[in-house]
Amino acid sequence: MRKINSTNYQNQKILEMSCGLSYAVELLSGRWKVNILWNLDRGVNRYGALNRSIPGISEKMLTQRLRDLKAEGLIIRKDFKTIPPHVEYSLSKAGKELIPVLELLCNWGTRVRSITKLDYNLIQ
């Protein structure tokens, strides 16, 4: 998290305004965002189902990322105003447009995993 008054922060915002790629990367930055979008595209649309479908995500983080994605306009939250609460999430138009890009990234990541330098031994 950068200080809003810092030169670094201001330079990042200038870059995001002038470069679509930088804007897209910033929009998707934050752990779990692409996983949530991916699962929503595959029909997982309730909080509990999303929580079960993404191994390792905490409830706090899922809640925060859903709020972020909604605020950024990538997902839609529909509250049915019932008791017990019934809320469903879906991709917005912008979120749906992102899915083909995520599919390309997924395929690329699968292809280059064996030749890139990410060390999964550090995760243990």
Side-chain angles (χ1 to χ4, degrees):
M1 189 68 143
R2 294 185 180 125
K3 293 179 184 174
I4 293 175
N5 296 336
S6 74
T7 303
N8 250 350
Y9 180 84
Q10 292 171 359
N11 288 341
Q12 179 64 34
K13 293 304 163 196
I14 290 168
L15 189 58
E16 288 169 19
M17 289 187 320
S18 63
C19 175
L21 179 59
S22 293
Y23 179 75
V25 168
E26 180 63 23
L27 196 61
L28 296 174
S29 69
R31 189 180 299 170
W32 311 112
K33 281 185 177 181
V34 294
N35 304 89
I36 292 167
L37 294 166
W38 189 259
N39 278 278
L40 286 174
D41 183 59
R42 270 121 192 94
V44 181
N45 64 355
R46 302 281 307 273
Y47 180 90
L50 282 167
N51 196 24
R52 287 187 297 275
S53 70
I54 304 172
I57 193 168
S58 68
E59 289 188 13
K60 177 183 177 185
M61 190 53 62
L62 178 56
T63 298
Q64 183 58 54
R65 290 299 174 241
L66 287 168
R67 285 181 184 153
D68 293 345
L69 290 166
K70 181 181 179 288
E72 294 160 351
L74 293 174
I75 67 171
I76 298 165
R77 180 182 188 270
K78 183 176 182 183
D79 187 346
F80 289 86
K81 309 243 186 257
T82 60
I83 298 177
H86 180 116
V87 176
E88 291 183 355
Y89 297 91
S90 61
L91 295 173
S92 67
K93 184 177 186 242
K96 288 176 185 173
E97 288 182 21
L98 179 60
I99 296 304
V101 176
L102 294 181
E103 288 172 346
L104 288 170
L105 275 172
C106 178
N107 294 336
W108 176 79
T110 300
R111 281 195 315 275
V112 302
R113 181 181 286 138
S114 64
I115 60 172
T116 54
K117 305 294 183 200
L118 199 59
D119 188 358
Y120 287 102
N121 294 324
L122 298 175
I123 297 172
Q124 298 172 347

